[in-house]
């Protein structure tokens, strides 16, 4: 079976992508940082509900040495890597006056530098892939990469960096590896539940033309499209219910 490595896959968007790939016949390396129980639950769901296999692999993807271990463990378990989804990320609501340079740097390391490290480390294995659609990398950005965010400038900056990294790697790795990005709008996850009240969600819903909040499974749909879109590279798919139209 072909194999996908999904970082930050224990919950939310990462879980939605991991489960979609498994349903489509891909074995999945479910990376997590601290949520071992949640990652194990994803693995159990994949094994119980699909014909695919999965494994939970702990790694701090902001640490290059840990990334090497993560990629090696994936290859040892499944024999190779055909697709990489760089989803790992953290969020923090702080305005600039209360935001330290250390916090700014840490968030960029987790959200953006990790995507570079994982892709760089996995590249040699992607080049060996023989899947019919060809190997690919999918990076998770955000609507805020384009809109900015007064209450989290470091997060918006990290996601804008993902767009530039995607285009750079798409140019560098062509024609052998396709590299694309997804920029989600508001998606209902554990992370957004922690920072948004019911009233916040109602107001956000009113701002979206499709009059609904996004679900992790809908990001999984976009990831599956990019995985199989053999004439698409260097692009960003916006999944936001029409909140931001190109």
């Amino acid at each position: 079976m072909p194999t996908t490595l999904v970082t930050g896959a224990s919950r939310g968007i990462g879980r939605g992508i991991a489960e979609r790939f498994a349903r489509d016949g891909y074995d999945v390396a479910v990376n997590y940082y601290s949520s071992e129980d949640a990652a194990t639950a994803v693995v159990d769901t994949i094994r119980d509900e699909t014909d695919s296999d999965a494994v939970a692999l702990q790694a701090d993807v902001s640490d290059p040495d840990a990334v090497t271990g993560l990629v090696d463990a994936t290859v040892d378990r499944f024999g190779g890597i055909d697709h990489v989804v760089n989803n790992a990320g953290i969020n923090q609501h702080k305005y600039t006056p209360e935001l330290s340079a250390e916090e700014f740097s840490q968030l960029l390391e987790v959200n953006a530098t990790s995507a570079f490290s994982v892709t760089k480390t996995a590249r040699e294995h992607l080049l060996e892939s023989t899947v019919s659609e060809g190997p690919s990398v999918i990076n998770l950005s955000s609507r805020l990469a384009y809109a900015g965010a007064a209450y989290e400038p470091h997060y918006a900056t990290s996601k804008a960096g993902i767009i530039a990294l995607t285009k750079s790697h798409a140019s560098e790795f062509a024609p052998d590896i396709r590299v694309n990005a997804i920029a989600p709008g508001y998606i209902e996850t554990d992370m957004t539940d922690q920072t948004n009240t019911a009233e916040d969600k109602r107001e956000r819903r009113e701002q979206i033309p499709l009059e609904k909040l996004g679900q992790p499974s809908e990001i999984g749909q976009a990831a599956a499209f990019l995985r199989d879109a053999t004439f698409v590279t260097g692009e960003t798919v916006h999944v936001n219910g029409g909140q931001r139209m190109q």
Side-chain angles (χ1 to χ4, degrees):
M1 261 187 190
T3 297
T4 302
L5 167 60
V6 184
T7 67
S10 64
R11 59 179 185 168
I13 287 173
R15 177 170 187 162
I17 293 172
E19 292 181 352
R20 173 57 188 258
F21 273 60
R23 289 196 299 273
D24 290 346
Y26 293 78
D27 290 335
V28 183
V30 177
N31 162 250
Y32 70 97
Y33 173 56
S34 60
S35 303
E36 181 177 6
D37 290 345
T40 300
V42 177
V43 169
D44 291 342
T45 297
I46 288 173
R47 291 177 176 172
D48 291 344
E49 299 182 7
T50 76
D51 293 327
S52 300
D53 192 12
V55 62
L57 298 174
Q58 192 281 333
D60 175 359
V61 291
S62 68
D63 177 353
D65 291 336
V67 167
T68 298
L70 171 64
V71 170
D72 288 348
T74 301
V75 174
D76 288 346
R77 175 61 178 263
F78 296 119
I81 301 175
D82 301 291
H83 299 281
V84 169
V85 180
N86 287 308
N87 170 74
I90 57 176
N91 198 357
Q92 182 185 43
H93 287 190
K94 280 193 175 184
Y95 291 92
T96 295
E98 60 191 28
L99 180 62
S100 71
E102 290 76 15
E103 289 171 324
F104 194 101
S105 296
Q106 180 189 24
L107 192 140
L108 261 64
E109 287 177 3
V110 175
N111 290 11
T113 306
S114 69
F116 166 79
S117 297
V118 173
T119 300
K120 177 182 178 179
T121 306
R123 178 176 177 271
E124 62 180 289
H125 302 290
L126 293 171
L127 289 171
E128 296 174 354
S129 172
T130 59
V131 290
S132 59
E133 71 275 11
S136 76
V137 176
I138 301 169
N139 297 319
L140 269 293
S141 181
S142 169
R143 180 183 69 86
L144 298 182
Y146 298 85
Y151 53 88
E152 46 188 348
H154 48 342
Y155 180 82
T157 299
S158 72
K159 294 304 184 178
I162 287 290
I163 301 299
L165 180 67
T166 296
K167 292 179 179 180
S168 299
H169 278 172
S171 297
E172 181 181 353
F173 298 164
D176 302 303
I177 302 169
R178 291 176 293 109
V179 185
N180 293 289
I182 300 172
Y186 189 93
I187 307 298
E188 287 192 291
T189 66
D190 293 344
M191 183 182 294
T192 56
D193 285 345
Q194 292 171 3
T195 56
N196 290 271
T197 65
E199 179 62 19
D200 291 334
K201 290 184 179 183
R202 184 191 64 78
E203 291 178 358
R204 290 180 180 276
R205 190 179 297 109
E206 291 176 350
Q207 298 169 358
I208 299 173
L210 290 185
E211 299 180 351
K212 64 187 289 292
L213 302 178
Q215 300 301 316
S217 61
E218 292 170 311
I219 306 302
Q221 292 172 356
F225 163 75
L226 289 174
R227 179 196 66 210
D228 297 335
T230 55
F231 199 49
V232 179
T233 196
E235 296 297 330
T236 299
V237 173
H238 295 267
V239 186
N240 56 44
Q243 189 173 12
R244 183 187 187 278
M245 300 185 187
Q246 291 291 83

